[in-house]
Amino acid sequence: QVQLVESGGGLVQPGGSLRLSCTASGSIFSIYKMGWYRQAPGKQRELVATMTRGGNRNYADSVTGRFAISRDNSKNTVYLQMNSLKPEDTALYYCNADGIRLITGQSGLDAWGQGTLVTVSS
């Protein structure tokens, strides 16, 4: 019903920057919360940043001040600007949409993207 596709991952040196994008497609009327999660090898998936439709942002302590999340509600797209990247930021980054309302009236749906790989290394 709803598909999320991420892009923008890649290899970057420590201190560098990268911008991730995620677009949700389907018969979507609105999405309450969109965000980014990441999972490094051997670790649990963790929250990176989320943003509500109304503009409320939430960041993990480890990325506060370095990452910035933004949304374009008209395009059902969420972005993650990552600056001052560190090797510990290396992970598979997943896009998430929560509280999806479809044009049919169905609500309360959620969806995940397939992930985009971010590697921070010299």
Side-chain angles (χ1 to χ4, degrees):
Q1 296 176 327
V2 177
Q3 182 176 341
L4 272 58
V5 179
E6 306 100 331
S7 64
L11 175 64
V12 64
Q13 296 185 168
S17 298
L18 215 56
R19 189 175 81 112
L20 306 183
S21 299
C22 171
T23 298
S25 61
S27 301
I28 300 169
F29 181 81
S30 64
I31 303 172
Y32 171 65
K33 183 184 292 184
M34 298 188 76
W36 295 91
Y37 295 73
R38 67 187 182 187
Q39 186 168 22
K43 296 184 178 180
Q44 291 288 110
R45 186 175 300 186
E46 64 176 356
L47 181 146
V48 177
T50 62
M51 186 174 180
T52 66
R53 180 175 178 82
N56 187 41
R57 295 172 170 87
N58 184 49
Y59 296 97
D61 290 341
S62 60
V63 307
T64 297
R66 298 187 300 120
F67 291 9
I69 189 170
S70 59
R71 289 177 61 167
D72 184 338
N73 293 332
S74 67
K75 297 194 295 185
N76 290 318
T77 298
V78 63
Y79 306 93
L80 185 68
Q81 179 65 47
M82 304 184 293
N83 300 320
S84 302
L85 284 162
K86 305 174 180 179
E88 49 263 48
D89 293 318
T90 297
L92 191 62
Y93 283 69
Y94 295 93
C95 179
N96 173 254
D98 185 53
I100 301 169
R101 186 194 305 173
L102 304 181
I103 59 176
T104 61
Q106 187 175 5
S107 62
L109 305 178
D110 68 274
W112 290 89
Q114 293 298 306
T116 184
L117 182 63
V118 172
T119 303
V120 184
S121 176
S122 298

